[in-house]
Amino acid sequence: MTTTTQTIKHRRIAEISPARKLTIGIVEVLIGLLIYFLFTSKLAPNVVTVFNMTPGGIDIGTMADLAVPSRLTLLIFGLICLGIGIFQLIKGFGRATNGMVGLCGLLLIMAFLIWQASGKSLNLSGMLSSAVLLAVPITLAAFSGILAERSGTINIAIEGMMLMSCMFAALIGSLTKSAVIGMLGGVLSSIALAMLHAVLCIKYKINQTVSGTVINIFSAGMTAFISQKFLQKYQNLNAPPMLSRIPVPLLSRIPFIGPILFNQNLFVYLMFLILIVLQIALFSTRWGLRLRSVGEHPKAADTLGIDVIRTRYVGMLLSGLVAGIAGAFFTLGSVGRFDEGMTAGKGFIGLAAMIFGNWYPLGALGAGLLFGFADAIGSKLSLLGSVIPPQFMAMSPYLITMIVLAGFIGKGQAPAAEGKPYEKE
């Protein structure tokens, strides 16, 4: 195995610097103090928060409601974060630092929910189930970006591919009365745009950001035109069948977890299936090593006999396939009709999730679930009568992404040759 290949296969993130160790420790201490002074100190000792542990309308995998003493629970959360922060300042957690930061962030979110729902009830299971569903298009868009960028091509056009897939999935699904055929039609339309993007970027070496932007504009205009000309005029062309929930035998009956993960529609299961296949294919197979090599050192890969151009075409077409599934989710797995601009920037948020996850499928899934959870919380705030605008939670994914890009969680490691056209010598 060559030195270049070993470098690609065994990249490691450097240990955190003393300055970052100090910064993270201070932030964790501040989270602990924030939980106490902002939430705990304002609650009476006898207040109780009730969490409903089964989503509404579900009769399998049911679980009794969970009642927690609000003040005591918040106090424990604050002390845990404070302890983590002090330990981080004194000794540090090493490679577990990011995990500890994530734990403190999770405790802060849970503290906020307990405080907001104190004296009331909150359907926690329903909110988590919604978060998983909301994470599907974001996570799949992130997977699409990983496939393209790991092979060396920037795919800004994911948003346009998703939007085009939305429309064709609705149109073909309505004509055939089949959600599966509709999804196939949406995927094919996305692959066609991916092929166009690949030809422009790989063969003609057009600036990849410009090419992606043009495709996004084209998709927005084309879908709006077809929607106004046909779908709004003939409603039978915009009434596709939706994919219903599919309970997984036995697993769906697991209390709390079952209704959240194993009583969802086909798109949720596809998301987890693509995660497993992508993680194994990229990091445990020769094909994945070759794909990553052309995104890191295309000249070295070419020297070893790898067809750089063909590999980049394959990466882009697979990226279009996954983006097509993400787009079809909106019309066949969520809304049940096509509306103009219905992807609402989820393709771009998916790229943020890709960066957040450091171009790794598992990291992208975690980021997608985090962003989906933020959306789910935002929709619940108005129901709880919160004074905090739900738009604040809607912008939290972007704030988190900026924190990541600033290097607080860790430096991202984008493929070295992404966005650089390859000229065979």
Side-chain angles (χ1 to χ4, degrees), residues 16-232:
I16 65 171
S17 65
R20 184 165 162 258
K21 171 186 171 183
L22 176 65
T23 302
I24 290 177
I26 292 174
V27 169
E28 289 167 342
V29 169
L30 290 176
I31 288 176
L33 296 175
L34 183 68
I35 290 175
Y36 178 76
F37 287 106
L38 191 60
F39 302 139
T40 310
S41 61
K42 297 183 178 181
L43 292 179
N46 59 343
V47 176
V48 174
T49 300
V50 178
F51 289 119
N52 305 125
M53 306 301 282
T54 305
I58 301 295
D59 56 3
I60 57 176
T62 58
M63 182 178 176
D65 294 344
L66 176 65
V68 298
S70 305
R71 185 181 175 88
L72 177 61
T73 305
L74 292 176
L75 183 62
I76 293 173
F77 285 179
L79 290 175
I80 291 174
C81 292
L82 193 61
I84 290 174
I86 293 173
F87 187 88
Q88 175 70 27
L89 291 172
I90 296 174
K91 189 174 181 180
F93 288 95
R95 292 185 179 275
T97 297
N98 287 353
M100 292 297 104
V101 175
L103 176 60
C104 289
L106 178 63
L107 291 177
L108 177 62
I109 293 172
M110 290 304 300
F112 168 73
L113 291 176
I114 291 173
W115 170 74
Q116 187 64 67
S118 57
K120 307 173 187 176
S121 64
L122 173 68
N123 194 325
L124 179 63
S125 181
M127 187 171 65
L128 292 177
S129 180
S130 297
V132 171
L133 207 60
L134 290 168
V136 169
I138 298 173
T139 304
L140 290 177
F143 291 164
S144 175
I146 289 172
L147 282 163
E149 297 200 10
R150 281 288 186 178
S151 63
T153 307
I154 297 175
N155 190 5
I156 297 294
I158 293 174
E159 177 76 10
M161 295 175 187
M162 290 172 60
L163 188 59
M164 191 67 76
S165 177
C166 278
M167 187 200 69
F168 273 97
L171 178 60
I172 296 176
S174 300
L175 291 172
T176 62
K177 304 301 180 183
S178 171
V180 175
I181 297 177
M183 181 169 65
L184 179 61
V187 168
L188 290 176
S189 69
S190 178
I191 291 176
L193 290 179
M195 187 64 189
L196 174 61
H197 186 49
V199 170
L200 292 175
C201 297
I202 299 172
K203 182 177 181 180
Y204 294 106
K205 300 177 179 58
I206 291 176
N207 183 285
Q208 296 174 9
T209 302
V210 172
S211 173
T213 303
V214 169
I215 290 175
N216 287 336
I217 295 172
F218 168 77
S219 296
M222 180 60 71
T223 55
F225 171 76
I226 294 177
S227 175
Q228 294 174 11
K229 194 74 174 178
F230 301 102
L231 301 187
Q232 294 180 18

Side-chain angles (χ1 to χ4, degrees), residues 118-353:
S118 57
K120 307 173 187 176
S121 64
L122 173 68
N123 194 325
L124 179 63
S125 181
M127 187 171 65
L128 292 177
S129 180
S130 297
V132 171
L133 207 60
L134 290 168
V136 169
I138 298 173
T139 304
L140 290 177
F143 291 164
S144 175
I146 289 172
L147 282 163
E149 297 200 10
R150 281 288 186 178
S151 63
T153 307
I154 297 175
N155 190 5
I156 297 294
I158 293 174
E159 177 76 10
M161 295 175 187
M162 290 172 60
L163 188 59
M164 191 67 76
S165 177
C166 278
M167 187 200 69
F168 273 97
L171 178 60
I172 296 176
S174 300
L175 291 172
T176 62
K177 304 301 180 183
S178 171
V180 175
I181 297 177
M183 181 169 65
L184 179 61
V187 168
L188 290 176
S189 69
S190 178
I191 291 176
L193 290 179
M195 187 64 189
L196 174 61
H197 186 49
V199 170
L200 292 175
C201 297
I202 299 172
K203 182 177 181 180
Y204 294 106
K205 300 177 179 58
I206 291 176
N207 183 285
Q208 296 174 9
T209 302
V210 172
S211 173
T213 303
V214 169
I215 290 175
N216 287 336
I217 295 172
F218 168 77
S219 296
M222 180 60 71
T223 55
F225 171 76
I226 294 177
S227 175
Q228 294 174 11
K229 194 74 174 178
F230 301 102
L231 301 187
Q232 294 180 18
K233 187 175 181 180
Y234 307 102
Q235 292 297 315
N236 61 307
L237 297 179
N238 196 14
M242 291 184 63
L243 293 169
S244 58
R245 291 177 180 267
I246 306 174
V248 178
L250 298 179
L251 295 178
S252 61
R253 297 186 177 276
I254 300 175
F256 187 65
I257 297 177
I260 296 174
L261 296 179
F262 304 112
N263 192 5
Q264 297 279 7
N265 63 38
L266 179 63
F267 288 98
V268 174
Y269 303 136
L270 281 175
M271 177 181 71
F272 288 112
L273 177 62
I274 293 172
L275 166 71
I276 296 170
V277 172
L278 193 56
Q279 185 72 29
I280 294 174
L282 282 178
F283 302 103
S284 301
T285 68
R286 181 177 297 179
W287 175 85
L289 184 59
R290 290 178 175 179
L291 183 81
R292 289 182 290 127
S293 70
V294 302
E296 295 285 352
H297 302 283
K299 289 186 179 180
D302 195 1
T303 303
L304 294 173
I306 298 173
D307 190 330
V308 175
I309 301 300
R310 185 179 65 183
T311 303
R312 287 189 169 182
Y313 269 109
V314 169
M316 179 55 64
L317 292 179
L318 290 175
S319 174
L321 186 151
V322 177
I325 297 174
F329 163 82
F330 289 94
T331 48
L332 303 179
S334 178
V335 178
R337 59 173 284 114
F338 175 77
D339 294 308
E340 295 177 28
M342 69 184 305
T343 51
K346 290 295 189 293
F348 298 115
I349 299 178
L351 289 174

Side-chain angles (χ1 to χ4, degrees), residues 7 108 228 312 377 392 404:
T7 301
L108 177 62
Q228 294 174 11
R312 287 189 169 182
I377 292 177
F392 178 81
V404 173

